[in-house]
Amino acid sequence: MREFYENLQKKLLKSLKIVRSYDWLLNSYVLDFYVKDHWSKFPGSWQQVLENVMPEDLCYILDFNNNIATLQTWPLSLLTLRVLFKELCIKREENEIRVTFLKSIYHFSPLLQHPKLKEIFVKGVKRKKRHELEFMASTCVEMCQNVAVDFIVDFGAGVGHLARVLGFGCGIKVCCIEMQDQLNKQAEEIDKKMMALINKYLPPKQAKTCQTPTHVNLCITPATAPEAFLQKIQKSLKLRKDDYKFGIVGLHSCGDLAAVLIQMFLHCKQAKFINLVGCCYMKLSAKDTANETDQGYPLSQYLSQRSLSFLSYEAREISCHAIEMYKQRLAGNNYDYLKIHSFRAAAERIIAKHYPELRHSGLKSIKHCGNIQFEEAVTGLPLATIPAENLLTAITQKDLSRWRQIVIYYTLRLFFGPLIESIILYDRILFLVENGCIVDIRAVFEATISPRNHIIIAGKR
């Protein structure tokens, strides 16, 4: 365990030193590309080579495992980064043997495969969520087989899709924590309909193995005392003693909620394991001074003592992008789509000149289609009040012609995304290890479907 701990420390330190060397890139905005001349900040060797690279060739820089011969002509410093990232970043590819194992657990449930019932579990559930339900449920079943618990607490349960798969499909008691009471009421209605169907189609003996989820209206914050949380659980589940054991599940715990759940896990003696998937890292409360407390990042004592550990909002935001999906767009020669960032950046130069108080304004969402024009792409900004001759100037036309440079710039920012995410996840793992836990992290979801595809799994010794 000590070797594992020290190896994590080394990876974190090396990763953060790289980040500090490229702060300007990570902390910049794509819409400022022309206003602040981001292209000029790249090393000359990068500009010279990348200027002539086609967008479809850029996808290889986002794939650390693909050894393409054409990359050998790229700048040595960029290739070196690619090698380092392969060493430092948490793998994003799922293990095929493990995926097969998890699928076998999920498909072992007779109820989940019942011809009259199986579709009810995923009715109205989108493909991404279905994928996550299958693999998170299987991971929970595996943990329950390895660690004896009386029930699972699902934080941020929504309308209870995961809880029904575990409760009705796998016979695991689940207590759902959800802050929105309306979602709890919806969940309870769906549970009743599900139970009615189970009683209709299953023999009584098999129906009795199903566990109806318990739904609790509760908002978990950093200020929530573990004692208050446990009292709420005990009352809701009608537990008379405190000798129960449970596991914690957080499926895409947004921002600081992931850190809150880790703290709750550590401070509740009854909590025996945690399965955690994080998201929205930009919403984390990031510590940037030695006196700050109760932060979402960094958690570990090791990083909290190091000033170089700070990650800006912009850096954390870039780690939340769907990198594999963007790589597919690069490879697909969809140039019209790739030009959107150039339109916005060109508009920002105009805004900076005519409406400086509206810098970094949000755009009205538009549905992408082929051959979209500049005027359409900037819908929602106050450009309509500017005469056409001041809108489509020679400078604007030149900016729009440089769209490939923006694609390169944006791709290189995405290139650092897995490193930033790995730093945040390593920090959480390190914090759990510092508190005596046995920890594993697995790329369980398929990244092209669910980009935040890692599950941190921890148990107490």
Side-chain angles (χ1 to χ4, degrees):
M1 180 56 68
R2 183 169 183 80
E3 182 180 353
F4 174 73
Y5 182 75
E6 291 176 350
N7 187 45
L8 269 182
Q9 290 180 329
K10 290 176 182 178
K11 282 189 173 183
L12 274 168
L13 196 57
K14 190 180 291 187
S15 299
L16 286 165
K17 285 181 177 179
I18 293 173
V19 168
R20 293 286 78 86
S21 298
Y22 292 90
D23 270 334
W24 79 265
L25 176 61
L26 295 172
N27 299 340
S28 62
Y29 287 100
V30 67
L31 60 114
D32 286 329
F33 184 82
Y34 300 126
V35 174
K36 295 187 176 181
D37 194 13
H38 289 332
W39 182 255
S40 67
K41 297 174 186 176
F42 285 117
S45 60
W46 290 28
Q47 295 180 41
Q48 185 178 359
V49 174
L50 297 178
E51 184 82 73
N52 301 312
V53 170
M54 297 299 290
E56 53 266 33
D57 294 327
L58 289 170
C59 64
Y60 301 122
I61 199 66
L62 300 179
D63 186 350
F64 306 148
N65 297 311
N66 201 329
N67 296 316
I68 303 299
T70 55
L71 291 182
Q72 303 307 315
T73 61
W74 289 31
L76 181 59
S77 55
L78 186 55
L79 294 178
T80 301
L81 279 177
R82 191 169 176 270
V83 172
L84 285 171
F85 286 6
K86 183 176 181 179
E87 170 199 341
L88 297 171
C89 295
I90 300 171
K91 300 291 184 294
R92 294 181 57 79
E93 300 81 19
E94 62 276 15
N95 183 296
E96 291 185 13
I97 296 176
R98 173 148 197 83
V99 167
T100 303
F101 169 69
L102 290 176
K103 281 186 176 180
S104 68
I105 292 179
Y106 187 86
H107 293 289
F108 178 74
S109 168
L111 187 58
L112 293 174
Q113 303 309 313
H114 193 284
K116 297 288 187 180
L117 299 172
K118 63 181 182 179
E119 290 302 318
I120 304 299
F121 286 97
V122 291
K123 184 178 180 180
V125 181
K126 294 182 179 179
R127 176 175 176 251
K128 175 177 179 290
K129 189 67 175 180
R130 289 189 182 197
H131 178 77
E132 293 164 356
L133 289 176
E134 177 176 351
F135 287 100
M136 177 56 94
S138 296
T139 303
C140 290
V141 170
E142 181 190 8
M143 288 302 295
C144 288
Q145 291 173 347
N146 296 333
V147 182
V149 293
D150 299 301
F151 57 92
I152 282 177
V153 180
D154 180 12
F155 287 86
V159 294
H161 293 304
L162 177 62
R164 277 185 290 280
V165 171
L166 291 172
F168 295 131
C170 306
I172 298 173
K173 181 65 179 176
V174 182
C175 180
C176 299
I177 305 295
E178 173 56 52
M179 64 181 289
Q180 298 185 53
D181 191 43
Q182 184 59 37
L183 295 182
N184 281 321
K185 291 177 180 177
Q186 290 180 36
E188 289 170 349
E189 287 300 314
I190 298 173
D191 292 348
K192 290 177 183 178
K193 293 177 182 179
M194 176 69 77
M195 201 65 233
L197 290 170
I198 288 173
N199 289 327
K200 179 179 179 180
Y201 291 112
L202 293 184
K205 185 176 181 180
Q206 189 175 354
K208 285 182 180 180
T209 64
C210 296
Q211 296 279 352
T212 302
T214 299
H215 300 275
V216 179
N217 185 222
L218 180 63
C219 178
I220 298 293
T221 71
T224 304
E227 296 76 17
F229 160 70
L230 291 173
Q231 288 175 7
K232 186 80 172 180
I233 294 297
Q234 289 177 216
K235 182 179 179 180
S236 301
L237 296 179
K238 298 179 174 60
L239 302 171
R240 296 182 179 180
K241 299 180 180 180
D242 64 355
D243 59 351
Y244 52 87
K245 294 176 288 187
F246 64 90
I248 290 176
V249 174
L251 180 52
H252 288 133
S253 303
C254 182
D256 285 343
L257 180 58
V260 171
L261 295 189
I262 290 174
Q263 296 281 8
M264 192 68 73
F265 168 66
L266 294 173
H267 288 104
C268 294
K269 67 176 183 179
Q270 295 93 335
K272 300 303 177 183
F273 71 78
I274 184 171
N275 291 348
L276 184 67
V277 180
C279 70
C280 302
Y281 303 127
M282 64 283 194
K283 295 182 181 180
L284 284 168
S285 300
K287 179 178 179 180
D288 59 359
T289 68
N291 296 323
E292 292 183 4
T293 58
D294 296 327
Q295 302 294 325
Y297 169 87
L299 289 173
S300 67
Q301 182 181 0
Y302 178 77
L303 278 195
S304 296
Q305 297 172 344
R306 283 162 173 76
S307 58
L308 57 68
S309 65
F310 178 69
L311 296 175
S312 68
Y313 174 94
E314 296 81 9
R316 286 179 277 122
E317 192 272 338
I318 203 67
S319 72
C320 294
H321 285 242
I323 295 173
E324 285 78 11
M325 295 179 190
Y326 191 74
K327 192 177 79 169
Q328 290 176 353
R329 288 168 186 160
L330 288 171
N333 302 322
N334 192 349
Y335 291 172
D336 286 333
Y337 186 94
L338 298 175
K339 292 178 182 179
I340 295 295
H341 284 144
S342 178
F343 291 157
R344 181 62 186 87
E348 187 68 12
R349 191 198 287 273
I350 299 172
I351 292 170
K353 180 178 180 180
H354 295 278
Y355 303 97
E357 72 281 3
L358 296 179
R359 289 285 307 277
H360 291 195
S361 296
L363 273 173
K364 180 181 178 181
S365 296
I366 58 170
K367 185 176 182 180
H368 172 70
C369 57
N371 298 317
I372 189 168
Q373 300 300 309
F374 173 64
E375 296 89 339
E376 299 173 85
V378 294
T379 301
L381 290 174
L383 304 183
T385 61
I386 301 176
E389 60 269 20
N390 293 333
L391 184 64
L392 293 173
T393 63
I395 292 176
T396 301
Q397 297 286 9
K398 183 178 180 180
D399 286 345
L400 295 174
S401 70
R402 296 171 58 197
W403 65 269
R404 291 185 192 226
Q405 291 182 348
I406 280 200
V407 172
I408 295 166
Y409 158 83
Y410 185 71
T411 301
L412 289 173
R413 288 197 77 227
L414 286 182
F415 175 52
F416 281 82
L419 186 71
I420 301 298
E421 182 174 24
S422 295
I423 290 171
I424 294 169
L425 296 179
Y426 282 144
D427 173 61
R428 293 174 180 177
I429 294 170
L430 203 59
F431 181 60
L432 287 162
V433 172
E434 288 172 348
N435 284 274
C437 297
I438 302 172
V439 193
D440 190 13
I441 186 164
R442 302 168 183 171
V444 175
F445 307 142
E446 185 179 333
T448 55
I449 300 174
S450 183
R452 308 281 67 77
N453 68 329
H454 296 102
I455 301 180
I456 290 179
I457 300 169
K460 293 176 179 175
R461 294 181 180 277

